[in-house]
Amino acid sequence: MNWLYFILRRPFFLLMMLMINISGTIYGYIWYGYQLKETPIYFLPFVPDSPTASLFFVIVLVGFLFKKHFKLFEALALITLFKYGIWAVVMNILVYVVTGEMTISSYMLIFSHLGMAIQGILYAPFYRFTNRHLIIAAIWTIHNEIIDYVFHMMPRYSVLNDYMEPIGYFTFWLSIVSILIAYYVVHSSKRKKFSLS
């Protein structure tokens, strides 16, 4: 398995991951464009969930390329990549259950968001964030939950409007699981650690 982490930290691979995540981030913000136009300015940072998660990871990857750790962004990236990656997969499957239709766009969203969750976990052995960074990232994540489901700023899937309460409940617990995974990364005695060099 060590060969995988050898590849993950190679500059050419980090650069490839950086380009993929920059492209995904830009696409994600464009995808949210219609909703952002209708969003009050004070909610703007909290609406585009997935592209903001991949933006956090872009910052992490830039740090890795320069052998630096942006620890707060490592914590934010791990929690939000896993959370929103899994969330989007589940929502798109739920859309299929409700409508009986699965489009090319749906498949693209499922696989790209699953990739988000996987990459966040794969790079965990390289993270060096501390409890302080984890607490800040956890507060951001739960606060974002409140903005989404109390102030109704969640990503819009019109066919799922009748299911907002159970979706909000599911999303809250997904946030908790994501935070616990990040906590495990920091504290597990069995955790693998790899340097960037």
Side-chain angles (χ1 to χ4, degrees):
M1 198 65 171
N2 287 356
W3 61 268
L4 175 61
Y5 296 107
F6 176 81
I7 293 172
L8 289 175
R9 69 184 176 212
R10 292 298 91 194
F12 81 90
F13 196 84
L14 287 170
L15 195 57
M16 181 182 73
M17 293 297 293
L18 180 62
M19 293 301 104
I20 290 171
N21 278 275
I22 288 173
S23 300
T25 300
I26 292 169
Y27 175 82
Y29 282 118
I30 292 170
W31 189 87
Y32 274 95
Y34 73 97
Q35 186 172 348
L36 292 173
K37 288 177 183 176
E38 302 170 7
T39 300
I41 192 167
Y42 44 86
F43 286 142
L44 285 177
F46 307 103
V47 170
D49 297 328
S50 294
T52 301
S54 59
L55 178 61
F56 291 150
F57 195 56
V58 163
I59 295 168
V60 170
L61 290 170
V62 169
F64 285 0
L65 280 165
F66 290 96
K67 304 293 189 289
K68 294 183 181 296
H69 290 278
F70 299 130
K71 295 178 182 180
L72 177 57
F73 288 101
E74 290 174 4
L76 284 165
L78 175 55
I79 292 172
T80 59
L81 284 174
F82 183 82
K83 173 188 170 182
Y84 295 119
I86 298 302
W87 187 91
V89 169
V90 172
M91 290 308 108
N92 279 279
I93 291 172
L94 187 55
V95 167
Y96 170 70
V97 170
V98 171
T99 66
E101 296 180 4
M102 184 74 81
T103 65
I104 293 175
S105 176
S106 300
Y107 284 112
M108 183 273 292
L109 288 169
I110 287 171
F111 287 112
S112 62
H113 283 83
L114 185 59
M116 281 176 55
I118 291 170
Q119 71 181 356
I121 299 294
L122 275 180
Y123 274 92
F126 300 100
Y127 303 148
R128 295 295 183 267
F129 59 85
T130 66
N131 278 339
R132 178 169 61 91
H133 305 107
L134 178 58
I135 289 168
I136 295 169
I139 290 170
W140 167 276
T141 303
I142 298 301
H143 179 256
N144 198 81
E145 212 71 79
I146 294 167
I147 299 300
D148 278 358
Y149 293 96
V150 174
F151 295 96
H152 306 290
M153 294 290 131
M154 74 288 284
R156 293 178 184 168
Y157 285 81
S158 58
V159 298
L160 300 180
N161 284 344
D162 292 339
Y163 306 95
M164 279 301 110
E165 288 185 5
I167 288 172
Y169 184 75
F170 161 76
T171 307
F172 169 77
W173 284 107
L174 182 58
S175 294
I176 299 302
V177 168
S178 303
I179 292 165
L180 289 174
I181 288 171
Y183 180 84
Y184 174 83
V185 164
V186 171
H187 289 284
S188 174
S189 59
K190 298 178 181 178
R191 177 199 173 193
K192 286 187 176 182
K193 285 188 178 181
F194 292 96
S195 70
L196 295 170
S197 54

